[in-house]
Amino acid sequence: MLRPRFFACDRCDTVFADPERPPYCDSCGEPSLTEITRALQADRYFTRADERRR
């Protein structure tokens, strides 16, 4: 199973989750997308609820 990678559009800040880098932003057409996977994985939002209580 492929894990999603997260990308943010440099122009409109839309975030995408996909195993592969999208060629452009679906919202504004910008080709410059920045991968933000590592930054998001450190966020507590993506931690399982049972792990948050530890």
Side-chain angles (χ1 to χ4, degrees), residues 5-48:
R5 294 165 54 196
F6 297 90
F7 303 91
C9 175
D10 294 339
R11 182 188 298 167
C12 71
D13 293 329
T14 299
V15 175
F16 301 91
D18 200 300
E20 299 292 324
R21 179 183 296 275
Y24 55 86
C25 176
D26 288 340
S27 295
C28 71
E30 174 69 28
S32 298
L33 302 175
T34 301
E35 185 167 359
I36 59 172
T37 303
R38 288 182 185 243
L40 292 178
Q41 288 176 342
D43 194 347
R44 289 177 46 90
Y45 178 82
F46 290 99
T47 305
R48 291 188 345 221

